Structure formats: C-alpha cells, structure tokens
Amino acid sequence: MKNHPFSRRDFLRVSSLGVGAFALGETLMSFSPKDGKKLGIALVGLGYYSYGQLGPALLHTKNCYLAGIVTGHPAKAEAWKKQYNIPDKNIYNYETFDKIKDNPDIDIIYVVLPVSMHKEYTIRAAQAGKHVICEKPMALNAKECEEMITACKKANRLLSIGYRLHFEPHNMEIMRLGQKQVYGKVTAIDTGNGFVYGGTDNSAWRLKKAMAGGGGLMDMGIYSIQGSRYTLGQEPVAVKARQEKTRPEFFNEVDETVYWELEFPGGFVATGKSSYNHNWGYLHVEAEKGKFGLEPAYGYGSVEGYTPAGPMHIPQVIHQAMQMDDFAECVRQNKRSRVPGEEGLKDMKVVDAIYRSLDSGKKEKIV
Ligand code: NAD
C-alpha cells in the first residue's frame, strides 16, 4: 500500500521482530461478525499504522473485529475490502463519514489520522453516536484535548487514547515496581525515545507544524513522558527543556531532538528526551534497592526488562490487540478506559509546557 520514504518503518520493524505470528498478509477469516459478541471497529485513515499494525492486530482480537473503514482512496478501500472481508455498506470516505451514525455494525471509531485531524474526527465520531479511540498524540495541544473530552462526554460516548503500552506486560510491570515501590522509593528516572528520520523530502505531514503540532517530541517524546509518569504514578508540576538541531533545513518547522527535566511534587526530577535523529527507546529507573527498566521499552514488540532480581521473563504480546480488546470490554460494560482522554490531556499539558520552555529558555509550570 503506502510507501514511506523514511526509515521509521525499518526501525519499528526491527523492534517488532518479537511478534513472529503477526504476519501482515493474513486474510481475515477468524471472526464471525454476526455472532453478536464482538464489537465492530472502523478504522479512519488507512496509513502506515492502520495497515501495518491495527488491521493485523484485529485478526487477533477477541472482543472486537474490523467492521469498517474510512478512506479517501478507492484503491485502498478495494484492497482492504478483499483482505478483511469488509462489506461495501461499511466502507466510507471523508464525505460520507457522518453517515456511520446509521450503521449498527460499527460500535467504535478508531481515529488514525494526522494529529491535526484528531480533534475533528473524534468529535464527529462521538456525535455520530460511536465510542472513540484516538491515536497519540491526542491533539495539537491541551486545549484541543479538552474540547474532545467535553464533546465525548456531551455525546455520552467513551473516549480512549491509543496508548498501547498500558496493555503491554513489561510496561505494566514497570508501573507496578515503581508505583508500589517494590525496590523502595524511586530515586532516578532517565528515558528516551526516538528514531532517525531519513530521506531528504520533508513534505510529509509529520514534518509540518500545522499537521503534526511538533516533531520528535509530539511523536516519540510522548512515550518518554508517559514512561516517567507511569513509573512514578504521579503528575509532574514543571519542566525545563532545551533542543538540538543537526539538520535545521530539514526540520525547519518541527523539533528534531529535545531534552527535558521533568519535575514532580516534592522536587523529584526525571530526565527525558525525544528525537527524530537518534534511535532511542529505553526507560531506566533507579530505586533505593536497585535498578530496573526496559530496553527496548516502547516499540511494538520485543520489549525487554530487567530488575535487581534479573531479567524479566514475560511473554511478548500484540499490544494493539490487547488495547482494542480492553476498550471493547469497557464499551460493553460502560466502563471508563484506563487510558481515557484525560490521560492524553495530561501528556499534552507537559508537551505544551516543554514548548513554552524551549521558547522562554526557563523552567515552565505544567498547567
Ligand atoms: P500515515 O501518514 O501513514 O497515515 C495517515 C493516514 O491519514 C493516511 O492513510 C492518509 O491518507 C490519511 N489522511 C487523510 N487525510 C489526510 C491529510 N489531509 N493529510 C495526510 N494524510 C491524510 O500516518 P501513520 O503513521 O499511520 O499515523 C497516523 C496516526 O497514528 C498518527 O496520529 C500517529 O501518531 C499514530 N501512530 C501511532 C502509533 C502507536 O504506536 N500508537 C504508531 C504509528 C502511528
């Protein structure tokens, strides 16, 4: 389907090798949409993430299945229709999108579009009476996140963010070790996430401020921010950041590499970084009784962890399948997701403060 001129795909493919059964070419025969049990998901935007991860993951879900698609490309619609056995009545484009409200096959709309489109499609999905998963970063800024949360509440629909690592057992173990102080109080956190953005064409939406909101910080740094927050189980209060650009002509609209110090209540400071110029993906934690952490920490598969007791021996899972199954169960039970819109909002408040700090050169409060 879509070819990406940069090396992100290669980077993520390497980090996905642990999930061997997760073949892209599979044909969907394993569900029975009429069995009344699985909820129907419609993916909006059939780019890299839908094609490479979410579609294939929906071959492995127990509580939901790929019921529909929204795409502006008729050729993509045709290919997905064949591969996933999607009926014509469940295929939409951006003009017909709102008609989804009349389609009982679709319970959940998953917004997998450029960041600048997250707010609009989340709100329209909720107004169409559907529950919503919106990809990360949740929106261009915290204000947009608040509008999305309000709209979903008003429509009485559940909203969840595509934070797959909250369903990934190594990351969940880190939450437990840090938050329950299994090795005593956490004394240091250092985390980084990034990849080398290759090529010379910087016309892609990810490098346009109006569409992406920012660069490596918005795309990759959100994981480092999350990692610090869920290790401690606390909310940061202030941040001081600086940035580095080795290719200013290429990253002329968005950030390339950003470093920050994230301050938590009581004065604890976690260091973090994000990049479109370094292959990073780790979360290192020091506690009173030893060190624990993850490396690779945030990729799609093959997450590896260590503790003072030795390596974590935890099976690899398909993050997205776990994440979507959990949300489908939340919808069934009318229960708030463990990664609701408010979780995306918290991260975007940190991101906003980091950008303010880059502008001011000073420590900025997270408000
Ligand atoms: P992509 O560029 O490959 O796909 C974007 C899709 O949006 C394409 O199908 C494109 O046709 C469609 N689109 C519709 N209107 C568009 C417009 N005006 N301009 C550009 N594209 C338009 O991007 P992607 O990598 O699939 O990312 C989509 C979302 O998924 C982003 O929010 C990204 O951050 C997120 N994502 C999340 C993860 C994760 O691990 N959770 C991984 C990758 C991407």
Side-chain angles (χ1 to χ4, degrees):
M1 293 220 175
K2 189 174 165 104
N3 274 326
H4 286 254
F6 55 95
S7 61
R8 177 190 181 87
R9 172 172 290 185
D10 296 335
F11 164 68
L12 291 170
R13 191 189 293 131
V14 170
S15 61
S16 335
L17 288 177
V19 190
F22 198 17
L24 296 186
E26 272 176 87
T27 303
L28 182 64
M29 297 304 293
S30 60
F31 74 89
S32 163
K34 303 241 179 282
D35 65 10
K37 290 190 187 121
K38 290 188 172 190
L39 299 188
I41 292 195
L43 296 176
V44 188
L46 304 180
Y48 161 79
Y49 194 53
S50 287
Y51 173 65
Q53 302 299 324
L54 298 175
L58 282 159
L59 298 170
H60 297 269
T61 41
K62 298 184 190 74
N63 300 331
C64 51
Y65 73 100
L66 183 58
I69 48 175
V70 180
T71 175
H73 299 90
K76 278 191 194 173
E78 203 50 39
W80 278 70
K81 172 181 155 173
K82 286 203 184 89
Q83 185 174 356
Y84 290 98
N85 200 18
I86 300 169
D88 284 331
K89 68 182 175 60
N90 292 359
I91 299 177
Y92 295 85
N93 58 38
Y94 296 100
E95 284 72 50
T96 59
F97 177 85
D98 302 293
K99 294 196 175 135
I100 291 185
K101 74 176 187 318
D102 301 320
N103 192 330
D105 289 353
I106 292 162
D107 304 286
I108 296 165
I109 291 180
Y110 197 149
V111 179
V112 204
L113 291 165
V115 183
S116 60
M117 301 173 78
H118 288 185
K119 179 181 109 173
E120 176 185 343
Y121 281 88
T122 294
I123 293 175
R124 280 169 68 179
Q127 287 173 350
K130 307 301 177 181
H131 301 283
V132 190
I133 310 176
C134 175
E135 255 316 316
K136 51 56 58 179
M138 181 171 169
L140 293 175
N141 50 51
K143 184 175 168 291
E144 284 199 347
C145 299
E146 279 160 357
E147 290 172 45
M148 293 157 78
I149 292 167
T150 303
C152 290
K153 277 195 184 136
K154 199 168 163 203
N156 199 21
R157 299 294 90 179
L158 293 174
L159 170 62
S160 179
I161 307 305
Y163 284 145
R164 56 187 164 74
L165 294 173
H166 286 249
F167 308 89
E168 193 287 313
H170 298 80
N171 278 272
M172 289 164 74
E173 178 64 356
I174 290 290
M175 296 173 199
R176 188 183 75 85
L177 297 179
Q179 294 178 24
K180 302 244 184 258
Q181 303 190 356
V182 173
Y183 294 107
K185 258 179 96 163
V186 170
T187 55
I189 295 177
D190 181 40
T191 176
N193 198 34
F195 70 99
V196 178
Y197 202 119
T200 50
D201 174 15
N202 69 350
S203 64
W205 69 262
R206 271 195 171 76
L207 301 179
K208 297 289 156 212
K209 192 171 180 352
M211 294 206 79
L217 175 61
M218 294 282 287
D219 194 14
M220 307 305 280
I222 213 94
Y223 292 95
S224 306
I225 294 166
Q226 277 268 303
S228 301
R229 288 184 47 238
Y230 59 61
T231 301
L232 286 177
Q234 291 176 22
E235 296 313 321
V237 291
V239 68
K240 170 100 169 54
R242 68 183 171 88
Q243 67 175 317
E244 196 175 83
K245 278 198 189 183
T246 59
R247 287 192 288 162
E249 67 299 336
F250 187 70
F251 297 107
N252 58 347
E253 291 197 21
V254 299
D255 49 282
E256 181 186 312
T257 300
V258 179
Y259 301 87
W260 63 84
E261 292 169 2
L262 195 55
E263 187 180 316
F264 287 82
F268 177 86
V269 174
T271 53
K273 57 193 180 190
S274 61
S275 188
Y276 271 164
N277 192 42
H278 295 277
N279 287 325
W280 291 326
Y282 70 87
L283 170 61
H284 296 314
V285 183
E286 290 181 30
E288 287 163 327
K289 295 182 204 159
K291 298 179 183 183
F292 57 91
L294 303 173
E295 187 161 11
Y298 304 125
Y300 298 143
S302 199
V303 178
E304 303 294 341
Y306 61 92
T307 74
M312 288 181 190
H313 295 292
I314 298 176
Q316 306 294 335
V317 301
I318 301 169
H319 310 179
Q320 296 85 354
M322 310 290 279
Q323 171 213 327
M324 289 187 280
D325 265 347
D326 184 86
F327 188 60
E329 193 53 29
C330 287
V331 169
R332 273 186 190 145
Q333 297 182 18
N334 194 23
K335 193 179 86 180
R336 188 177 150 96
S337 159
R338 80 178 77 147
V339 283
E342 287 79 358
E343 184 69 16
L345 169 63
K346 284 174 185 165
D347 291 324
M348 284 312 300
K349 285 184 173 178
V350 177
V351 167
D352 286 355
I354 290 177
Y355 284 128
R356 284 200 303 277
S357 176
L358 291 179
D359 283 345
S360 70
K362 294 183 189 146
K363 180 159 98 175
E364 294 285 343
K365 282 192 180 149
I366 296 164
V367 286

